[in-house]
Amino acid sequence: MSVTRVALVVLSAVLAPLSLARAADLTLDGQAHLAKLQGLPLTVKVTGAPAAPVHLWIDVSPGPVIVNGNPVELGFTPAVILLALGNMPASGELDLAGTVPLPEGGIGQTVYMIAVVGGEISLGASLTMLDRDVQLAGNALAAAPFIEHVKAFNQGRPISVAVDPARYPWVVGDTGSVYLVAHKSRAQWLADGTLNDVSALGPLDYDFGPTIALNTFVIDTGTLSATPPPGVAMGAAYDLVIDLDGDGLFDGSDLIDGFDADEAGLYVVHDIQLPGPHAVTEILYTGGSFLGQNTFYPSDIASMGQLPLLVVSHGNGHNYQWYDHIGNQLASYGWVVMSHENNTVPGIETASTTTLTNTDYLLGHLATINGGVLNGHVDGHNIGWIGHSRGGEGVARAYDRLLEGQFVPANFTASDIKFISSIAPTDFLGPGQSDPHDKPYHLWVGGADADVTGCADNDIAQSFHLLGRAVGSRWSISLHGVGHGDFHNSTGSVATGPCLVGKPSTHTIMRGYLLALAEHVVHGNIPAGEFLWRQWEDFRPIGAPDGNPCVNVDLTDHEAEPAVAVIDDFQTNTALNLSSSGGAVSGSATLVAEGLLNDLDTNFTWDSEDFSGFTWARAGDRERGLVLQFDGSGDKDLSFALVPGLQDARPYRWLSFRACQVTRNPLTTAALGDMTFAVTLTDLDNVSSTVNIGAFGGGIEEPYQRTQCGTGAGWGNEFETIRIPLEAYVTDGTGPDLSRLASVTFDFGPSFGSPSGRIGLDGVELVED
Amino acid sequence: MSARKPTLLLLSAVALLVLGGGVFALRQVLHDDGPPPLPAVTPVGGVTLIEARPFTLDVPYIHDWRAERPQVTAGVLLVLGVDGELVHPRQGYEPVLYVGDQTAERINVGHESGHVIAVVPAPVDGQGRVALDLSTTPIYFGAPALPEQVDAATVAKELAAAKARGIVAPAAPAVSAASRPQVRFHDDYDVRVFAADLIEAWSPMETDLVSGLRAPLVGK
């Protein structure tokens, strides 16, 4: 007999003598349904007939089930538990005191309960266990929402703390000591809550008031060390604790940012474009025809374990010895980097073959290359491929061939390739052949590229096609003023356009961002990930070439499902008034068209073409999006109604979308500059809150002002990803109920930022942490 | 009975449940060092034969510069004088170098020197001699394409177009002056190492290519 059946029989017996009675009551901290941080005090109260036996039933499902014809608010799943609590005191009240349980597996979970007192059964109650690890550290903002909670801080930059009294009401009126401590794991915190502040100023005492503005403080002016532990590329890890009871321990109702098995509260990052801790050895050798290899590795590799491998595939007319900036940088952080002779002139198929054969050769000859110095030190299951130009398409093609079994290497498989990165790739072979599939994919594009130009006249020269085909996590970095040759370290920028950036600045950016990409994907490095999605204006390597006025960087980020819930990606439900998730789309902004992000003519000239300037797709591709405009005649909006499955946004941390300004359009050129607008969330009770996209840094960049490709100035439409933290909508307990959202509305026009504009919009979604 | 506070019991139960459940244009255009325009019309002749060295191979290799990917057992290693703009490296389609009815493999780039070192596969006659008469074989650049996609039909079309445009084979005296004794290579790697000397001699600025081709062979 199943546990469930036993439970129902027992309950049936309890209820049998009586009809359903509701004299019994069950509350958690005085509420029927409670959500509370793990580890905080909890009071469970049961009331009922004195002297009657009290039982508490706990389950993972709310039911209801019908028992003897009566609905009982519990699921009675096989996991159901029955607790006998003795007899009801004479007072008719039974209080159970404790704390919300702390099991890591319980985070976000809800348990359901009923109390049975004698023959009386209570209504259902529930307890949702919230993660004790809360976001406290961040960058203070001058205006609402007052804080941008982040994990990564550049060394020397101030660190702030912000406590929202609506979330943590027990802090109001209290004084807390704020500690910055070396990171401890969740288990370590549970074993030892001792607080040892490591900052120059702390611990500091603060009085907490009734608003987040009052509770936002700079707690460190940039004094923390950025030296990571051995074997970690970037980020010294710290936790932040607010000791509310002043006992020098993390306990009781104290707040903590960093109570996690793996993730610290914050990371202080050194200048990641600078070399890492290892000296680098470079070797040149060949295994035969088209097996020339230029390999970089840490000089102390003999004392190291297995290191991930980055394979570099050069472009046409290039040379495999032209990527020292990549090789030296990653090897200094504990990677093996092999740049190989690439057979690009015949075409992409042959280029992809040499990517495959060289990877296989290296892994198969570790015992003989340079006397076997690499033997036992290359992790053939953690490989990244990066290719330039034809080689950039070649690495995507190589993965496609690998995945489809058209090439079977002896020493690695498709699953061993952890990411693919393409620098200004061509697109000769098109959909179905040059395809990163579901592999994490990263794209580099130079706005001044005079070879793979990105102009609408040539599908082969439109690098974004490959990004549009990637269906896994994908990122891009667009660099104004950077030429095709700037990405390698030989002569020639192969560039045209205004304000050219040049090689030194380009390589500085490459060193930092490639390290971040590789470490994030392969090692799950947490601060590295923030370099990939936080806007350049907000967060970039310390040594970024800020002194070069031509440097202008736009980033896109798209996480693979299931980390996202798509509101509208414009891939399905192609009517303008219907989102891909099935919700209504409405508003006063002029919706121009929804369709393939493909400029169909041969230029970027403004000519009323719906998708002028878009180069994310060609015929046969899938990447679609929306074009809309607001003409300066007043405020305009675009609203996405949320279907029931998307109305509870609590599991998500950000609202994310990507947008671009449409090049050469009069509404773009009328006010050339960073575009801003706002996004409003409204709940089912019509309570709303609005956040401007410029609150956390930059807006949507204007197109690079390059001429050619028709008449006018402005290169291809350059998407940027914007992530707005959902918590920004509900500071101080105001704003919509995030569990019952009705709509997401984009607000354009003079009241919200840029007075006019024509934009592309795509990937409107909710993103998990 | 006094009110009990079975904290541990409750908490353990809940824990058990949970665990079980599961800039604007600041500067004007400074320069444009992109590739030059492609030729308006192809095929284009004007290729000068400087050196031609027939070779045979102990170990055949695949000629990746044809869609049919034929096996190569012999060929001719050529040094050619070319218009540098035709071989300027570009990531898009490049003019394809043909030797008669065969595509040639360009080993170096050559846009700065105007010299291309190339290999063209060729048959061997009954006496073991490479059978390619360059005095009857036009050398030209055909329409821009990816050589790996060039098939027999394309080759035939290009050759016909070259002849129609009056592109002719090198004169016999020039062929005679360019000819070098036939050599025997073990494999295509040896061909490329040999070619490194030609590149160094005729396109000396391509130092990275030369050093790469001469990189130490693993195991030797």
Side-chain angles (χ1 to χ4, degrees):
Chain A
M1 184 180 287
S2 71
V3 174
T4 302
R5 187 154 176 78
V6 170
L8 288 172
V9 168
V10 171
L11 188 67
S12 177
V14 169
L15 294 175
L18 300 170
S19 61
L20 192 66
R22 295 294 187 197
D25 194 19
L26 171 64
T27 59
L28 309 171
D29 285 356
Q31 302 174 43
H33 302 285
L34 177 69
K36 197 164 189 179
L37 292 180
Q38 290 183 313
L40 292 189
L42 172 69
T43 300
V44 178
K45 179 188 283 289
V46 182
T47 60
V54 182
H55 293 86
L56 190 64
W57 295 80
I58 309 173
D59 204 352
V60 293
S61 167
V65 298
I66 304 298
V67 179
N68 292 337
N70 298 305
V72 175
E73 294 179 341
L74 203 68
F76 292 100
T77 72
V80 70
I81 286 177
L82 172 62
L83 297 177
L85 303 179
N87 292 329
M88 182 62 74
S91 64
E93 292 184 358
L94 177 62
D95 289 327
L96 311 172
T99 57
V100 180
L102 270 169
E104 193 172 358
I107 296 172
Q109 300 291 315
T110 300
V111 290
Y112 303 88
M113 311 170 199
I114 58 170
V116 179
V117 183
E120 300 170 351
I121 186 165
S122 74
L123 294 173
S126 68
L127 171 66
T128 300
M129 292 166 282
L130 303 180
D131 193 352
R132 185 63 185 269
D133 181 23
V134 299
Q135 298 291 318
L136 298 173
N139 295 315
L141 305 173
F146 300 104
I147 191 75
E148 176 194 27
H149 283 130
V150 295
K151 286 288 179 190
F153 297 83
N154 275 327
Q155 186 177 27
R157 299 292 299 164
I159 298 168
S160 294
V161 64
V163 180
D164 188 337
R167 288 181 169 222
Y168 319 113
W170 59 93
V171 306
V172 178
D174 203 349
T175 299
S177 301
V178 180
Y179 285 81
L180 276 167
V181 302
H183 172 59
K184 293 197 281 191
S185 70
R186 182 186 178 96
Q188 288 170 322
W189 275 119
L190 289 171
D192 179 5
T194 305
L195 297 170
N196 294 308
D197 192 276
V198 295
S199 67
L201 302 176
L204 298 173
D205 290 345
Y206 296 100
D207 297 326
F208 292 99
T211 67
I212 193 170
L214 290 169
N215 296 341
T216 301
F217 312 102
V218 175
I219 54 168
D220 185 79
T221 56
T223 67
L224 295 178
S225 165
T227 304
V232 176
M234 66 179 80
Y238 300 92
D239 295 335
L240 195 161
V241 178
I242 301 178
D243 182 18
L244 290 164
D245 54 9
D247 63 356
L249 298 169
F250 163 63
D251 59 8
S253 299
D254 297 341
L255 292 176
I256 183 168
D257 186 352
F259 188 65
D260 188 89
D262 305 310
E263 191 172 297
L266 61 107
Y267 298 84
V268 177
V269 182
H270 73 283
D271 187 356
I272 62 169
Q273 60 84 26
L274 291 177
H278 302 279
V280 174
T281 298
E282 176 185 0
I283 53 174
L284 184 69
Y285 56 89
T286 182
S289 185
F290 284 104
L291 289 172
Q293 301 187 347
N294 187 189
T295 296
F296 303 76
Y297 58 86
S299 301
D300 56 347
I301 195 168
S303 64
M304 303 176 78
Q306 291 208 322
L307 308 181
L309 171 66
L310 182 70
V311 175
V312 186
S313 303
H314 68 75
N316 196 39
H318 302 169
N319 188 280
Y320 66 99
Q321 298 174 71
W322 292 1
Y323 297 89
D324 293 8
H325 51 306
I326 290 176
N328 282 312
Q329 179 73 355
L330 266 74
S332 75
Y333 283 92
W335 285 65
V336 174
V337 180
M338 179 272 285
S339 178
H340 66 85
E341 198 175 4
N342 204 16
N343 196 8
T344 59
V345 196
I348 304 307
E349 201 73 8
T350 55
S352 70
T353 297
T354 37
T355 295
L356 291 158
T357 54
N358 276 274
T359 305
D360 210 27
Y361 179 84
L362 177 78
L363 295 173
H365 291 79
L366 294 171
T368 51
I369 293 170
N370 202 30
V373 66
L374 302 175
N375 204 20
H377 297 292
V378 178
D379 182 356
H381 301 303
N382 273 313
I383 303 170
W385 277 344
I386 184 170
H388 186 184
S389 203
R390 285 192 186 186
E393 182 179 359
V395 290
R397 175 63 184 146
Y399 183 69
D400 180 80
R401 292 173 66 191
L402 197 55
L403 198 63
E404 295 179 1
Q406 297 172 18
F407 187 98
V408 182
N411 300 294
F412 68 102
T413 65
S415 65
D416 296 325
I417 306 302
K418 298 307 181 192
F419 71 90
I420 301 167
S421 179
S422 299
I423 305 168
T426 55
D427 184 26
F428 281 96
L429 302 183
Q433 294 192 78
S434 293
D435 190 340
H437 296 271
D438 60 351
K439 198 56 66 176
Y441 182 73
H442 183 269
L443 175 69
W444 308 73
V445 173
D449 194 319
D451 197 346
V452 184
T453 65
C455 176
D457 66 349
N458 185 357
D459 272 338
I460 291 168
Q462 295 176 24
S463 295
F464 280 102
H465 294 174
L466 275 69
L467 187 71
R469 280 172 210 144
V471 296
S473 294
R474 59 184 182 177
W475 307 270
S476 69
I477 180 167
S478 301
L479 304 162
H480 287 194
V482 168
H484 197 81
D486 287 331
F487 292 108
H488 63 59
N489 65 280
S490 185
T491 56
S493 281
V494 194
T496 184
C499 213
L500 297 178
V501 167
K503 287 179 192 284
S505 292
T506 303
H507 291 187
T508 298
I509 296 168
M510 289 180 79
R511 290 194 301 270
Y513 270 82
L514 182 57
L515 178 67
L517 172 72
E519 285 293 324
H520 174 65
V521 176
V522 171
H523 290 137
N525 187 290
I526 291 163
E530 291 199 3
F531 283 101
L532 303 180
W533 66 263
R534 284 170 65 184
Q535 281 198 291
W536 173 265
E537 295 89 334
D538 180 39
F539 187 56
R540 57 190 178 277
I542 294 169
D546 293 345
N548 185 335
C550 298
V551 169
N552 206 320
V553 180
D554 295 329
L555 305 171
T556 70
D557 157 73
H558 178 266
E559 300 296 332
E561 295 183 48
V564 299
V566 175
I567 297 169
D568 202 346
D569 61 9
F570 307 97
Q571 297 301 122
T572 55
N573 297 338
T574 58
L576 286 170
N577 62 355
L578 190 62
S579 70
S580 60
S581 60
V585 179
S586 60
S588 55
T590 302
L591 303 186
V592 176
E594 190 175 319
L596 202 63
L597 296 176
N598 181 22
D599 190 326
L600 291 173
D601 65 19
T602 59
N603 56 66
F604 291 152
T605 306
W606 172 243
D607 52 9
S608 300
E609 185 192 356
D610 287 346
F611 289 93
S612 186
F614 288 93
T615 60
W616 276 50
R618 64 194 271 183
D621 272 325
R622 57 182 293 278
E623 191 67 38
R624 296 166 53 85
L626 173 69
V627 179
L628 64 99
Q629 66 182 42
F630 46 106
D631 60 7
S633 61
D635 293 338
K636 307 290 181 184
D637 62 15
L638 173 65
S639 186
F640 295 85
L642 299 178
V643 297
L646 294 171
Q647 289 173 351
D648 184 358
R650 289 174 302 175
Y652 303 96
R653 186 167 171 200
W654 292 282
L655 172 71
S656 174
F657 58 90
R658 62 179 176 274
C660 64
Q661 297 196 48
V662 173
T663 192
R664 305 188 187 186
N665 182 275
L667 295 172
T668 296
T669 57
L672 208 56
D674 234 17
M675 171 185 281
T676 57
F677 49 85
V679 185
T680 298
L681 298 185
T682 305
D683 70 15
L684 293 168
D685 296 324
N686 212 29
V687 177
S688 65
S689 179
T690 300
V691 175
N692 194 288
I693 66 166
F696 307 100
I700 306 299
E701 201 74 41
E702 74 277 15
Y704 174 53
Q705 291 298 291
R706 174 179 172 184
T707 56
Q708 303 173 326
C709 199
T711 59
W715 213 239
N717 303 336
E718 215 166 89
F719 277 102
E720 281 190 86
T721 293
I722 301 287
R723 283 191 188 185
I724 303 175
L726 293 172
E727 66 176 5
Y729 289 94
V730 293
T731 53
D732 291 335
T734 63
D737 181 345
L738 293 179
S739 72
R740 302 174 63 250
L741 287 180
S743 65
V744 174
T745 302
F746 291 80
D747 298 302
F748 306 103
S751 300
F752 302 100
S754 304
S756 65
R758 181 173 171 117
I759 66 169
L761 182 67
D762 200 3
V764 183
E765 55 200 18
L766 299 166
V767 181
E768 290 180 359
D769 195 355
Chain B
M1 182 180 178
S2 63
R4 288 198 322 163
K5 297 189 177 181
T7 305
L8 283 176
L9 187 61
L10 172 65
L11 299 186
S12 304
V14 173
L16 195 64
L17 263 178
V18 171
L19 290 172
V23 174
F24 303 98
L26 292 177
R27 299 175 201 161
Q28 293 304 307
V29 173
L30 297 178
H31 73 291
D32 183 345
D33 61 351
L38 288 164
V41 178
T42 56
V44 180
V47 176
T48 307
L49 179 63
I50 297 172
E51 210 173 292
R53 183 179 296 277
F55 65 85
T56 59
L57 290 165
D58 298 338
V59 179
Y61 72 94
I62 299 296
H63 183 50
D64 285 320
W65 296 59
R66 278 286 293 266
E68 297 89 353
R69 305 184 76 239
Q71 203 170 63
V72 181
T73 56
V76 181
L77 191 51
L78 300 168
V79 179
L80 304 172
V82 303
D83 176 353
E85 294 206 345
L86 290 170
V87 292
H88 192 106
R90 68 183 74 233
Q91 308 307 318
Y93 291 117
E94 297 176 323
V96 176
L97 177 62
Y98 292 90
V99 177
D101 62 355
Q102 183 59 281
T103 55
E105 174 185 358
R106 290 189 281 128
I107 297 179
N108 69 323
V109 179
H111 69 299
E112 293 177 282
S113 64
H115 293 124
V116 164
I117 286 73
V119 172
V120 59
V124 177
D125 65 16
Q127 285 74 48
R129 292 178 304 214
V130 175
L132 177 62
D133 183 358
L134 290 170
S135 65
T136 62
T137 306
I139 304 174
Y140 57 98
F141 284 93
L146 290 180
E148 68 183 14
Q149 295 177 344
V150 171
D151 58 13
T154 303
V155 172
K157 189 175 140 189
E158 291 287 352
L159 181 56
K163 288 178 177 174
R165 294 204 70 215
I167 297 171
V168 296
V175 173
S176 180
S179 292
R180 299 291 182 271
Q182 182 170 317
V183 293
R184 178 181 167 188
F185 293 122
H186 176 65
D187 57 16
D188 61 330
Y189 169 72
D190 287 344
V191 175
R192 294 170 65 77
V193 170
F194 188 91
D197 294 345
L198 297 175
I199 296 167
E200 188 173 52
W202 292 98
S203 195
M205 64 289 294
E206 297 186 63
T207 54
D208 288 334
L209 176 61
V210 171
S211 66
L213 291 170
R214 290 173 175 167
L217 189 61
V218 171
K220 289 189 178 176

